[in-house]
Amino acid sequence: MSGQIVAVSSDGLHRFAKPLRPAITLLAGLGVEGDAHCGTTVQHLSRRRKAPEAVNARQVHLLQAELIDALAAAGFAVTPGAMGENVTTRGIDLLALPRGARLRLGSKAEVEVTGLRNPCAQIDAAFGPGAMAATLDRAPDGSLVRKAGVMAIVVRGGDVRPGDPVAITHVPAERVPLEPV
């Protein structure tokens, strides 16, 4: 399965949305160069207050453009980068990947999926009432389905640009379902 990178975003400040960039540089073991979430230990502000020495499993946020399309069809003005993602993809079912799956972004960079992004109330604040609910669903068994993308760590660094390919390079034999990280 392969797809394409639609947009890349980063922000040195802890804000919800991230501005689009012509390119971002992924740094192995750290994240997106210059991004507020770059580092070996957790950088997400609320998580850092609780466990400042925790390993950063949220170095890169990837979001499927198909969710942006669905939100737009539901009347929400969402564009790439607006949900705080670093990499917006199209053509890869990110949510179907197991923990430990690896993706090559562009010609060199590689990330390993660590878990799901847990949608938060900032989504309603940014896009209006009901937007966060639109990023959630229910599975046939009644369990909650989070659709706000996946989090990953950088295994191999490199530059990533819109238009670059994205490909699954490894799926673990034991398919551990994604959980929020």
Side-chain angles (χ1 to χ4, degrees), residues 8-167:
V8 294
S9 309
S10 67
D11 193 350
L13 300 175
H14 285 277
R15 294 183 279 210
F16 183 67
K18 295 182 186 286
L20 297 177
R21 306 288 182 198
I24 57 173
T25 300
L26 301 186
L27 303 172
L30 294 171
V32 179
E33 182 177 49
D35 192 78
H37 294 97
C38 187
T40 57
T41 58
V42 67
Q43 299 298 308
H44 190 275
L45 294 177
S46 66
R47 293 168 190 265
R48 193 167 64 186
R49 281 191 291 274
K50 293 177 186 172
E53 298 304 316
V55 172
N56 188 2
R58 300 167 55 97
Q59 295 175 0
V60 181
H61 176 201
L62 297 100
L63 182 76
Q64 58 281 10
E66 291 83 356
L67 175 63
I68 294 171
D69 297 343
L71 291 171
F76 299 104
V78 181
T79 57
M83 290 188 59
E85 78 274 13
N86 300 109
V87 180
T88 310
T89 66
R90 183 174 298 284
I92 296 271
D93 187 354
L94 299 173
L95 304 177
L97 297 171
R99 189 175 70 214
R102 289 189 178 188
L103 301 169
R104 184 173 50 263
L105 306 176
S107 62
K108 186 177 175 188
E110 189 169 14
V111 298
E112 182 175 307
V113 176
T114 56
L116 295 168
R117 183 225 179 151
N118 199 22
C120 68
Q122 290 184 52
I123 294 173
D124 278 351
F127 308 112
M132 186 176 105
T135 68
L136 301 168
D137 208 347
R138 290 280 173 191
D141 68 0
S143 62
L144 188 63
V145 176
R146 293 164 177 88
K147 302 186 291 185
V150 299
M151 306 306 291
I153 58 170
V154 181
V155 176
R156 186 173 358 145
D159 293 336
V160 180
R161 294 174 177 76
D164 281 351
V166 55

